[in-house]
Amino acid sequence: MQIITGFSKLNKSERVDILRKHVPLSEEQVILLSNFQGEDIKIDELIENISENYVSNYVLPFGITPNFLVNDRAYFVPMVTEESSVVAAASYAAKFWSDKGGFRTRVLGTKKTGQIYFSWEGNIKKLQDDLPILKELLLSVAKPLTVNMEKRGAGISDVTLSYGGDYHILNVEFETADSMGANLINSCLEAMSPELLSFLKASYPKVNPDAEIIMAILSNYTPDCMVECSVECSISQLSQISGDLSAERFARKFELAVKVAKENVQRAVTHNKGIFNGIDSVLLSTGNDFRAVEAFGHAYASKDGKYTSLTDVEINEKGFKYTLRIPLSVGTVGGVTSVHPLSKLALQIMGNPSAKELMQIVAAVGLANNFAAIRSLITDGIQKGHMKLHLNNILYQFNANASEKERAEEYFKNHTVSFKSVSNYLESIRE
Amino acid sequence: MQIITGFSKLNKSERVDILRKHVPLSEEQVILLSNFQGEDIKIDELIENISENYVSNYVLPFGITPNFLVNDRAYFVPMVTEESSVVAAASYAAKFWSDKGGFRTRVLGTKKTGQIYFSWEGNIKKLQDDLPILKELLLSVAKPLTVNMEKRGAGISDVTLSYGGDYHILNVEFETADSMGANLINSCLEAMSPELLSFLKASYPKVNPDAEIIMAILSNYTPDCMVECSVECSISQLSQISGDLSAERFARKFELAVKVAKENVQRAVTHNKGIFNGIDSVLLSTGNDFRAVEAFGHAYASKDGKYTSLTDVEINEKGFKYTLRIPLSVGTVGGVTSVHPLSKLALQIMGNPSAKELMQIVAAVGLANNFAAIRSLITDGIQKGHMKLHLNNILYQFNANASEKERAEEYFKNHTVSFKSVSNYLESIRE
């Protein structure tokens, strides 16, 4: 194969030229790439600078969900998703809970950990004894990096040692306040690493000089960044959404559906995925790193040895209570959040929340999406609302006019929606 | 709180009007919402129809990574991500492996499962005996839905029963060919559910009539949608990227870094997150559902009771081999993939792959990103490349001119990059 070099150093149109030499693209498709760029070149250049090898803007619908009552404050929540009915489902649940006290949330912490993995054959007990001296040293090295965050009540809160077999781990605990903190943590760890190495070599000169840093990196394992989010109502209030079921029966069926997700990994995966449908859409809109939240969210779901549901339901004489416990590491300053004009706007729409406040909103949206999904599953089935939206999409693609749309909506109440079936139907009524 | 009703039925500008009544937005911010819409109204309406409560397009950079050699075929891979250096890292690894045989991948299957959970107090052994009859019945009910997919070699491949305590499970296995299949599977299951219920009631009239469908839904647990992807080279070839380390030492340190991720959940989460940095960027560009892939990918990482690395390294006399095994459920027809003009273009850029081929490309990008991350971690550290890109972003925001940019790049070779430090530096040289 012919290896392409210097691609990242080209500008957008040069990249497209190379692409066209290797891949058949029509004139129309090349125009499409430009069509997705905005009118303001300055803003497009901001987007271009976020990542590398840019050729266009990729777009997703930016939607707004009203009526999210979280800890007595009403929010409009910006959501970005490619999946139809995610925003609709969140809206449905947000509205239902808005006159029942809304979402109650509690942040259990925002601490994060960075780790320096190193191999060293010295006396680890002695090193443990010397840890206070080492800690002082490492903190002073990191000082220039942490001095600004200390003003915001953040900084390094602890340094501990753990012992592996072939390697040891220096754990550095950070309080990152409103930033996600990835760059800061990694910069601190990388500044500390050579100091740690010098310390090992200077303090224990007789030891094998092969002491070596394996790697230094933040951990996305953030068990201290937990949010607990609950909704609560009387059983009778559930009759507003229980369809053909009685409120009591709805509650019991809901409970059984959650039990199924607790007990079956096949269901737990899909159940939790529905939570992330909501969560990721808010993370995307605010420029947060959804991969980090996904990774530990799902790993956390398997913390007791078996992957299980992240939500719990409780039904008693006081009523129905539904709770999500999830680790959520997010930021509202720094990174893309501070660069992307639409992410800044997304934060503005939520009243420029702190990281803790954003964690609570995000958890509420996750719980809302899961709640709405289970409600659909145990009443009408998930496809009813979903397929209506899907039908709209397909009709749109076939340029259906208002009368065709109306007839199709009527027809597909009792017929199955697919690209093919809608195409056939439109052909039949257009003949 | 004042509950907002009918929000979804409004048009974009009416939604923005409501939003402005509740949230302080400047004229400039409202213009921003319009700025991100393209020139072609027809296309914007397509995007609007993908989800609900649309007020604008959210944009992310659409980048292209050249030089991906997968099973002897060279690809340009479209990647969409908000995280800087993800595309750069993938490019780096793709190029390194491109003259060493590239990525070798194997798809172990594409089967998916849907489940009907039901409660019933009848004789489950008898039902098991009657399963062949029930199966015939259910297949015939689903026939109108599956007839089209059968032409493409897809369809329902099996129906089995499993027994819970309070509930039972009817597992329906689907071969979905090139579609992700979510709508099809859910539609089939919902068509089958009332038939299952009638069968239970008609065949066993003496049994408690409370037989009930709890829910019917596809499972994102897709252990049959596995991809295995490997790269392989001689140890000496690693010297091209081993920095100050010898090739042999690099290989051993790489092995140790993977061992760390195998043994420590704190590291495993971050290690796997790096795989998804690459994977999700391709899923986003092609309109695929990344939450589904994330959910089962991470659950799969905990399948043996402890969350661990999804990759394995092997070093022997033949050389260095690095392998990723991951479940990947993707589609190349149907859903957003067929609606979104840029997703269609993304597929075109990759030569319109089948679902199986896309699974292989996606896995290769995941492995590439993880490989590049570990290489950085065990040589220069992750921050070097990352902070350079971060510096560019910040300079851009401060409107740095070419000479300021050059001076800042020189200065920050030995100083720590942060929003504040760059701002201070620019102020100092501008005075």
Coordinates of all heavy atoms in Angstrom, one line a residue, chain A residues 4 24 42 45 49 52-53 55-56 58-60 62 64 67 83 85 88 145 167 190 212 219-220 249 263-264 266 270 273 289 340 343 348 382 393 396 399 416, chain B residues 4 24 42 45 49 52-53 55-56 58-60 62 64 67 85 88 145 167 190 212 219-220 249 263-264 266 270 273 289 291 340 343 348 382 393 396 399 416:
Chain A
I4 N 0.5 7.3 3.2 CA 0.2 8.8 3.1 C 0.9 9.4 4.2 O 0.7 9.1 5.4 CB -1.3 9.1 3.0 CG1 -1.8 8.5 1.7 CG2 -1.5 10.6 3.1 CD1 -3.3 8.2 1.8
P24 N -13.7 7.1 -4.3 CA -14.7 7.8 -5.2 C -15.7 8.7 -4.5 O -16.5 8.1 -3.8 CB -15.3 6.7 -6.0 CG -15.2 5.5 -5.1 CD -14.0 5.7 -4.3
K42 N -14.5 31.9 11.9 CA -13.8 31.9 13.2 C -14.3 30.8 14.1 O -13.5 30.1 14.7 CB -14.1 33.3 13.8 CG -13.4 33.5 15.2 CD -12.0 33.9 15.1 CE -11.4 33.9 16.5 NZ -9.9 33.6 16.5
E45 N -13.2 27.4 12.7 CA -11.8 27.2 13.0 C -11.6 26.7 14.5 O -10.7 25.9 14.8 CB -10.9 28.4 12.8 CG -10.7 28.6 11.3 CD -9.9 29.9 10.9 OE1 -9.6 30.6 11.9 OE2 -9.7 30.1 9.7
N49 N -10.0 23.1 15.5 CA -8.8 22.9 16.4 C -9.1 22.0 17.5 O -8.2 21.7 18.3 CB -8.4 24.3 16.9 CG -7.5 25.0 16.0 OD1 -6.3 24.6 16.0 ND2 -7.9 26.0 15.2
E52 N -8.1 16.5 15.2 CA -7.1 16.5 14.1 C -7.7 16.0 12.8 O -8.7 15.4 12.8 CB -5.8 15.7 14.5 CG -5.1 16.1 15.8 CD -5.8 15.5 17.0 OE1 -6.2 14.3 16.9 OE2 -5.8 16.1 18.1
N53 N -7.0 16.3 11.7 CA -7.3 15.8 10.4 C -8.7 16.2 9.9 O -9.4 15.4 9.2 CB -7.1 14.3 10.3 CG -5.7 13.9 10.5 OD1 -4.8 14.7 10.7 ND2 -5.4 12.6 10.3
V55 N -12.0 17.5 8.2 CA -12.5 17.8 6.9 C -13.9 18.5 6.9 O -14.3 19.0 5.9 CB -12.5 16.6 5.9 CG1 -11.1 16.1 5.7 CG2 -13.4 15.5 6.5
S56 N -14.6 18.4 8.0 CA -15.9 19.0 8.0 C -16.4 19.0 9.5 O -15.7 18.5 10.4 CB -16.9 18.2 7.2 OG -18.2 18.9 7.1
Y58 N -19.2 17.4 11.9 CA -20.2 16.4 12.0 C -21.3 17.0 12.8 O -21.0 17.6 13.8 CB -19.7 15.1 12.6 CG -20.7 14.0 12.6 CD1 -20.8 13.2 11.4 CD2 -21.4 13.7 13.7 CE1 -21.8 12.2 11.3 CE2 -22.4 12.7 13.6 CZ -22.5 11.9 12.4 OH -23.5 10.9 12.4
V59 N -22.5 16.8 12.4 CA -23.6 17.4 13.2 C -24.6 16.4 13.7 O -24.8 15.3 13.1 CB -24.4 18.4 12.3 CG1 -23.5 19.4 11.7 CG2 -25.3 17.8 11.3
L60 N -25.1 16.7 14.9 CA -26.1 15.9 15.5 C -27.2 16.9 16.1 O -26.8 18.0 16.3 CB -25.6 15.1 16.7 CG -24.7 13.9 16.4 CD1 -24.0 13.3 17.6 CD2 -25.6 12.8 15.7
F62 N -29.3 19.1 18.3 CA -29.1 19.7 19.7 C -30.5 20.0 20.2 O -31.2 20.8 19.6 CB -28.3 20.9 19.5 CG -27.9 21.7 20.8 CD1 -26.9 21.3 21.6 CD2 -28.6 22.9 21.1 CE1 -26.5 22.0 22.7 CE2 -28.2 23.6 22.3 CZ -27.2 23.1 23.1
I64 N -33.6 20.3 23.4 CA -33.8 20.8 24.7 C -34.9 20.1 25.4 O -36.0 20.0 24.9 CB -34.2 22.3 24.6 CG1 -33.1 23.1 23.9 CG2 -34.4 22.9 26.0 CD1 -31.8 23.4 24.7
N67 N -38.6 21.1 31.9 CA -39.3 20.5 33.1 C -38.4 19.6 33.9 O -39.0 18.7 34.6 CB -40.6 19.7 32.6 CG -41.5 20.6 31.9 OD1 -41.7 21.8 32.3 ND2 -42.1 20.2 30.8
E83 N -30.1 9.0 18.7 CA -31.1 8.0 18.8 C -32.5 8.6 19.0 O -32.7 9.4 20.0 CB -30.8 7.0 20.0 CG -31.8 5.9 20.2 CD -31.4 4.8 21.2 OE1 -30.2 4.8 21.6 OE2 -32.3 4.1 21.6
S85 N -36.2 9.2 20.1 CA -37.0 8.9 21.3 C -36.3 9.0 22.7 O -36.9 8.9 23.7 CB -37.8 7.6 21.2 OG -37.0 6.5 21.5
A88 N -37.4 12.4 23.8 CA -38.9 12.3 24.1 C -39.1 11.6 25.4 O -39.9 12.0 26.2 CB -39.5 11.6 22.9
L145 N 1.8 23.6 39.5 CA 0.7 23.2 38.7 C -0.6 23.3 39.5 O -1.7 23.5 38.9 CB 0.9 21.7 38.2 CG 2.1 21.4 37.4 CD1 2.3 19.9 37.2 CD2 1.9 22.1 36.0
Y167 N 5.6 -4.8 40.4 CA 5.6 -3.3 40.4 C 4.8 -2.8 41.6 O 4.1 -3.5 42.3 CB 4.8 -2.9 39.1 CG 3.5 -3.5 38.9 CD1 2.3 -2.9 39.5 CD2 3.3 -4.7 38.3 CE1 1.1 -3.4 39.4 CE2 2.0 -5.3 38.2 CZ 0.9 -4.6 38.8 OH -0.3 -5.2 38.7
E190 N 3.3 13.4 35.8 CA 4.5 13.4 35.0 C 5.6 14.3 35.5 O 6.8 14.0 35.3 CB 4.1 13.7 33.5 CG 3.3 12.6 32.9 CD 3.1 12.7 31.4 OE1 3.7 13.5 30.7 OE2 2.3 11.9 30.9
E212 N 12.4 2.0 37.8 CA 11.9 2.5 36.5 C 10.4 2.9 36.7 O 9.6 2.2 37.3 CB 12.0 1.5 35.4 CG 11.7 2.0 34.1 CD 11.9 1.0 33.0 OE1 11.7 -0.2 33.2 OE2 12.2 1.4 31.8
S219 N -6.6 7.8 36.7 CA -7.5 6.6 36.6 C -8.9 7.1 36.4 O -9.4 8.0 37.1 CB -7.4 5.8 37.9 OG -8.4 4.7 37.8
N220 N -9.6 6.5 35.4 CA -11.0 6.7 35.2 C -11.9 6.0 36.2 O -13.1 6.1 36.2 CB -11.5 6.4 33.8 CG -10.8 7.3 32.8 OD1 -10.2 6.9 31.8 ND2 -11.0 8.6 33.0
R249 N -50.6 -2.5 40.3 CA -50.1 -3.6 39.4 C -48.8 -3.0 38.7 O -47.8 -3.7 38.5 CB -51.1 -4.0 38.4 CG -50.8 -5.1 37.5 CD -50.6 -6.4 38.1 NE -49.6 -7.3 37.3 CZ -48.5 -7.8 37.8 NH1 -48.2 -7.7 39.1 NH2 -47.7 -8.5 37.0
E263 N -30.9 -9.5 38.1 CA -30.6 -11.0 38.1 C -30.0 -11.5 36.8 O -29.2 -12.4 36.8 CB -31.8 -11.8 38.4 CG -32.3 -11.6 39.9 CD -33.5 -12.4 40.2 OE1 -34.1 -13.0 39.3 OE2 -33.9 -12.4 41.4
N264 N -30.3 -10.8 35.7 CA -29.8 -11.3 34.4 C -28.9 -10.3 33.7 O -29.3 -9.2 33.4 CB -31.0 -11.5 33.4 CG -31.9 -12.6 33.9 OD1 -31.7 -13.7 33.6 ND2 -33.0 -12.2 34.7
Q266 N -28.0 -10.4 30.7 CA -28.5 -10.1 29.4 C -29.4 -8.8 29.4 O -29.4 -8.0 28.5 CB -29.4 -11.2 28.8 CG -28.5 -12.4 28.3 CD -28.5 -13.5 29.3 OE1 -28.5 -13.2 30.5 NE2 -28.3 -14.7 28.9
T270 N -28.7 -4.0 28.8 CA -29.6 -3.2 28.1 C -30.2 -2.1 29.0 O -30.4 -1.0 28.6 CB -30.7 -4.0 27.4 OG1 -30.0 -5.2 26.9 CG2 -31.3 -3.3 26.3
K273 N -27.7 0.5 29.6 CA -27.5 1.2 28.4 C -28.5 2.3 28.3 O -28.2 3.4 27.8 CB -27.6 0.2 27.2 CG -27.2 0.8 25.9 CD -28.4 1.3 25.1 CE -28.1 1.8 23.7 NZ -29.2 2.5 23.1
D289 N -16.3 14.2 28.5 CA -15.8 12.9 27.9 C -16.7 11.8 28.4 O -16.6 11.3 29.5 CB -14.4 12.7 28.5 CG -13.7 11.5 28.0 OD1 -14.4 10.6 27.5 OD2 -12.4 11.4 28.1
H340 N -15.7 25.0 23.2 CA -16.8 24.8 22.2 C -17.9 25.8 22.4 O -18.5 25.8 23.5 CB -17.3 23.4 22.3 CG -18.1 22.9 21.1 ND1 -19.2 23.6 20.7 CD2 -17.9 21.8 20.3 CE1 -19.7 23.0 19.6 NE2 -18.9 21.9 19.4
S343 N -21.1 24.2 23.7 CA -21.0 23.6 25.0 C -21.1 24.7 26.0 O -21.7 24.5 27.1 CB -19.7 22.8 25.2 OG -19.7 21.7 24.4
Q348 N -24.7 27.5 29.8 CA -25.5 28.7 30.1 C -27.0 28.4 30.2 O -27.6 28.9 31.1 CB -25.2 29.7 28.9 CG -26.2 30.8 28.8 CD -25.7 32.0 29.7 OE1 -24.6 32.0 30.2 NE2 -26.5 33.0 29.8
I382 N -41.9 -0.9 23.8 CA -41.0 0.2 23.5 C -41.2 0.7 22.0 O -40.8 1.8 21.7 CB -39.5 -0.3 23.7 CG1 -38.6 0.8 23.9 CG2 -39.1 -1.2 22.5 CD1 -38.5 1.2 25.3
N393 N -39.2 10.0 10.2 CA -37.9 10.1 9.5 C -38.0 9.6 8.1 O -37.5 10.2 7.2 CB -36.9 9.2 10.2 CG -36.2 10.0 11.3 OD1 -36.4 11.2 11.4 ND2 -35.6 9.2 12.2
Y396 N -40.1 11.6 5.8 CA -39.3 12.8 5.4 C -38.4 12.6 4.3 O -38.2 13.4 3.3 CB -38.6 13.4 6.6 CG -38.0 14.7 6.4 CD1 -38.9 15.8 6.5 CD2 -36.8 14.9 5.9 CE1 -38.4 17.1 6.2 CE2 -36.3 16.2 5.6 CZ -37.2 17.3 5.7 OH -36.7 18.5 5.4
N399 N -39.8 12.6 0.9 CA -40.5 13.9 0.6 C -42.0 13.7 0.6 O -42.7 14.3 -0.2 CB -40.1 14.3 -0.9 CG -38.7 14.7 -0.9 OD1 -38.3 15.5 -0.1 ND2 -37.9 14.2 -1.9
T416 N -46.4 -2.7 10.1 CA -45.1 -2.5 10.6 C -44.3 -1.6 9.8 O -44.2 -1.6 8.6 CB -44.4 -3.9 10.6 OG1 -45.2 -4.8 11.4 CG2 -43.1 -3.8 11.3
Chain B
I4 N -44.0 23.3 31.5 CA -44.1 23.6 30.1 C -44.7 22.5 29.4 O -44.2 21.3 29.4 CB -42.7 24.0 29.6 CG1 -42.3 25.3 30.3 CG2 -42.8 24.2 28.1 CD1 -40.8 25.5 30.3
P24 N -31.6 33.3 30.7 CA -31.0 34.5 30.1 C -30.0 34.2 28.9 O -29.0 33.5 29.2 CB -30.2 35.2 31.2 CG -30.0 34.1 32.2 CD -31.0 33.1 32.1
K42 N -33.1 21.7 3.6 CA -33.6 20.3 3.4 C -32.7 19.4 4.3 O -33.2 18.5 5.0 CB -33.5 19.9 2.0 CG -33.9 18.5 1.6 CD -35.4 18.4 1.5 CE -35.7 16.9 1.3 NZ -37.0 16.6 1.8
E45 N -33.3 19.9 8.0 CA -34.6 19.3 8.4 C -34.4 17.8 8.7 O -35.0 17.2 9.5 CB -35.7 19.6 7.4 CG -36.2 21.0 7.5 CD -37.3 21.4 6.5 OE1 -37.6 20.5 5.7 OE2 -37.8 22.5 6.6
N49 N -35.1 15.9 12.2 CA -36.0 14.8 12.4 C -35.4 13.6 13.0 O -36.0 12.6 13.3 CB -36.5 14.4 11.0 CG -37.8 15.2 10.7 OD1 -38.8 15.0 11.3 ND2 -37.7 16.2 9.8
E52 N -35.6 14.8 18.9 CA -36.8 15.6 19.3 C -36.3 16.9 19.9 O -35.2 17.1 20.4 CB -37.7 14.9 20.2 CG -38.3 13.6 19.7 CD -37.3 12.4 20.0 OE1 -36.6 12.4 21.1 OE2 -37.3 11.5 19.2
N53 N -37.2 17.9 20.0 CA -37.0 19.2 20.6 C -35.8 20.0 20.1 O -35.1 20.6 20.9 CB -36.9 19.0 22.2 CG -38.2 18.5 22.8 OD1 -39.2 18.2 22.1 ND2 -38.3 18.4 24.1
V55 N -33.2 22.5 18.6 CA -33.1 24.0 18.5 C -31.8 24.3 17.6 O -31.7 25.5 17.2 CB -32.9 24.7 19.8 CG1 -34.2 24.6 20.6 CG2 -31.8 24.1 20.6
S56 N -31.0 23.4 17.4 CA -29.8 23.7 16.5 C -29.1 22.4 16.2 O -29.5 21.3 16.6 CB -28.8 24.6 17.3 OG -27.7 25.0 16.5
Y58 N -25.7 20.4 16.8 CA -24.4 20.4 17.6 C -23.3 19.8 16.7 O -23.5 18.9 16.0 CB -24.6 19.4 18.8 CG -23.4 19.5 19.7 CD1 -23.3 20.5 20.7 CD2 -22.4 18.6 19.7 CE1 -22.2 20.7 21.5 CE2 -21.3 18.7 20.5 CZ -21.2 19.7 21.4 OH -20.1 19.8 22.2
V59 N -22.2 20.5 16.7 CA -21.1 20.1 15.8 C -19.9 19.5 16.5 O -19.6 20.0 17.6 CB -20.7 21.2 14.8 CG1 -21.9 21.8 14.2 CG2 -19.9 22.2 15.5
L60 N -19.3 18.5 15.9 CA -18.0 18.0 16.4 C -17.1 17.9 15.2 O -17.6 17.7 14.1 CB -18.2 16.6 17.0 CG -18.8 16.6 18.4 CD1 -19.1 15.2 18.8 CD2 -17.9 17.2 19.4
F62 N -15.2 16.5 12.2 CA -15.2 15.2 11.5 C -13.8 15.1 10.8 O -13.4 15.9 10.0 CB -16.3 15.4 10.4 CG -16.6 14.2 9.5 CD1 -17.4 13.2 9.9 CD2 -16.1 14.2 8.2 CE1 -17.7 12.1 9.1 CE2 -16.4 13.1 7.3 CZ -17.2 12.1 7.8
I64 N -10.4 12.6 9.4 CA -10.1 11.5 8.5 C -8.7 10.9 8.9 O -7.8 11.6 9.0 CB -10.0 11.9 7.1 CG1 -11.3 12.5 6.6 CG2 -9.6 10.7 6.2 CD1 -12.5 11.5 6.4
N67 N -4.3 5.5 6.1 CA -3.3 4.4 6.4 C -3.8 3.3 7.2 O -2.9 2.6 7.8 CB -2.0 5.0 7.0 CG -1.4 6.1 6.1 OD1 -1.3 5.9 4.8 ND2 -0.8 7.1 6.6
S85 N -6.1 14.6 20.3 CA -5.1 13.6 20.2 C -5.7 12.2 19.9 O -4.9 11.2 19.7 CB -4.1 13.6 21.3 OG -4.6 13.0 22.5
A88 N -5.0 11.8 16.2 CA -3.6 11.8 16.1 C -3.0 10.5 16.5 O -2.1 9.9 15.8 CB -3.0 13.0 16.9
L145 N -42.5 -9.6 9.2 CA -41.4 -8.7 9.5 C -40.0 -9.2 9.1 O -39.1 -8.4 8.8 CB -41.4 -8.5 11.1 CG -42.6 -7.9 11.7 CD1 -42.6 -8.1 13.2 CD2 -42.8 -6.5 11.3
Y167 N -40.1 -15.7 37.1 CA -40.4 -15.4 35.7 C -39.6 -16.3 34.8 O -38.7 -17.0 35.2 CB -40.0 -13.9 35.4 CG -38.6 -13.6 35.8 CD1 -37.6 -13.8 34.9 CD2 -38.3 -13.1 37.0 CE1 -36.2 -13.6 35.2 CE2 -37.0 -12.8 37.4 CZ -36.0 -13.1 36.5 OH -34.7 -12.8 36.8
E190 N -42.4 -7.9 20.0 CA -43.7 -7.3 20.4 C -44.8 -8.0 19.6 O -46.0 -8.1 20.1 CB -43.7 -5.8 20.3 CG -42.7 -5.2 21.3 CD -42.8 -3.7 21.5 OE1 -43.7 -3.1 20.9 OE2 -42.0 -3.2 22.2
E212 N -48.5 -13.5 32.3 CA -48.4 -12.1 31.9 C -47.0 -11.8 31.2 O -46.0 -12.4 31.7 CB -48.5 -11.2 33.1 CG -48.5 -9.7 32.8 CD -48.7 -8.8 34.0 OE1 -48.2 -9.2 35.1 OE2 -49.2 -7.7 33.9
S219 N -31.6 -7.7 23.5 CA -30.5 -7.5 24.5 C -29.3 -7.0 23.9 O -28.9 -7.4 22.8 CB -30.2 -8.9 25.1 OG -29.1 -8.8 26.0
N220 N -28.7 -6.0 24.5 CA -27.4 -5.5 24.1 C -26.2 -6.4 24.5 O -25.1 -6.1 24.2 CB -27.1 -4.1 24.6 CG -28.1 -3.1 24.0 OD1 -28.8 -2.3 24.7 ND2 -28.2 -3.0 22.7
R249 N 13.5 -3.8 25.4 CA 13.1 -3.2 26.6 C 11.6 -2.6 26.4 O 10.8 -2.7 27.3 CB 14.0 -2.1 27.0 CG 13.7 -1.4 28.3 CD 13.9 -2.3 29.5 NE 13.1 -1.8 30.6 CZ 12.2 -2.6 31.3 NH1 12.1 -3.8 31.0 NH2 11.4 -2.1 32.2
E263 N -4.4 -6.7 35.9 CA -4.5 -7.0 37.3 C -5.2 -5.9 38.1 O -5.7 -6.3 39.2 CB -3.0 -7.2 37.9 CG -2.4 -8.4 37.3 CD -0.9 -8.6 37.8 OE1 -0.4 -7.7 38.4 OE2 -0.3 -9.7 37.5
N264 N -5.2 -4.7 37.7 CA -5.7 -3.6 38.5 C -6.9 -3.0 37.8 O -6.8 -2.4 36.7 CB -4.7 -2.5 38.6 CG -3.5 -2.9 39.5 OD1 -3.5 -2.8 40.7 ND2 -2.5 -3.4 38.8
Q266 N -8.3 -0.3 38.6 CA -8.1 1.1 38.5 C -7.5 1.5 37.1 O -7.8 2.5 36.5 CB -7.2 1.7 39.5 CG -7.8 1.8 40.9 CD -7.5 0.6 41.8 OE1 -7.3 -0.5 41.2 NE2 -7.5 0.8 43.1
T270 N -9.3 2.6 32.7 CA -8.7 3.7 31.8 C -8.1 3.1 30.5 O -8.2 3.7 29.5 CB -7.6 4.4 32.6 OG1 -8.0 4.5 34.0 CG2 -7.3 5.8 32.0
K273 N -11.0 2.3 28.3 CA -11.5 3.6 27.9 C -10.8 4.1 26.7 O -11.4 4.7 25.7 CB -11.5 4.6 29.1 CG -12.1 6.0 28.8 CD -11.2 7.0 28.3 CE -11.9 8.3 28.1 NZ -11.1 9.3 27.4
D289 N -24.9 3.3 17.3 CA -25.3 3.5 18.7 C -24.1 3.1 19.5 O -23.9 1.9 19.8 CB -26.5 2.6 19.0 CG -27.0 2.8 20.4 OD1 -26.3 3.2 21.3 OD2 -28.2 2.5 20.6
R291 N -23.6 3.7 22.7 CA -24.0 3.3 24.1 C -24.1 1.8 24.2 O -23.8 1.1 25.1 CB -25.3 4.0 24.6 CG -25.1 5.4 25.1 CD -25.3 6.4 24.0 NE -26.6 6.2 23.3 CZ -26.7 6.6 22.0 NH1 -25.7 7.1 21.3 NH2 -27.8 6.4 21.4
H340 N -28.6 9.9 7.9 CA -27.7 11.1 8.1 C -26.8 11.2 6.9 O -26.0 10.3 6.6 CB -26.9 10.9 9.4 CG -26.2 12.1 9.9 ND1 -25.4 12.9 9.2 CD2 -26.3 12.7 11.1 CE1 -25.0 13.9 9.9 NE2 -25.5 13.8 11.1
S343 N -23.2 10.4 7.7 CA -22.9 9.0 8.0 C -22.9 8.2 6.7 O -22.0 7.3 6.6 CB -24.0 8.5 9.0 OG -23.9 9.1 10.2
Q348 N -19.3 5.7 2.7 CA -18.8 5.8 1.4 C -17.2 5.9 1.4 O -16.5 5.3 0.6 CB -19.4 7.0 0.7 CG -18.7 7.5 -0.6 CD -19.3 6.7 -1.8 OE1 -20.3 6.0 -1.7 NE2 -18.7 7.0 -3.0
I382 N 2.0 10.7 28.4 CA 0.9 11.0 27.6 C 0.7 12.5 27.3 O 0.0 12.9 26.4 CB -0.4 10.4 28.3 CG1 -1.5 10.2 27.3 CG2 -0.9 11.3 29.4 CD1 -1.5 8.8 26.7
N393 N -5.0 25.1 21.0 CA -6.4 25.5 21.2 C -6.5 26.8 22.0 O -7.3 27.7 21.6 CB -7.1 24.4 22.1 CG -7.7 23.3 21.2 OD1 -7.8 23.5 20.0 ND2 -8.1 22.2 21.9
Y396 N -5.3 29.7 20.1 CA -6.3 30.1 19.1 C -7.4 31.0 19.7 O -7.8 32.0 19.2 CB -7.0 28.9 18.5 CG -7.8 29.2 17.3 CD1 -7.2 29.4 16.1 CD2 -9.2 29.4 17.4 CE1 -7.9 29.8 15.0 CE2 -9.9 29.8 16.3 CZ -9.3 30.0 15.1 OH -10.0 30.4 14.0
N399 N -6.6 34.5 20.1 CA -6.2 35.2 18.8 C -4.7 35.5 18.7 O -4.3 36.5 18.2 CB -6.9 36.6 18.8 CG -8.4 36.4 18.6 OD1 -8.9 35.7 17.7 ND2 -9.2 37.1 19.5
T416 N 4.5 24.6 32.0 CA 3.3 23.8 32.0 C 2.1 24.6 31.3 O 1.9 25.8 31.6 CB 2.9 23.5 33.4 OG1 4.0 22.8 34.0 CG2 1.7 22.6 33.4

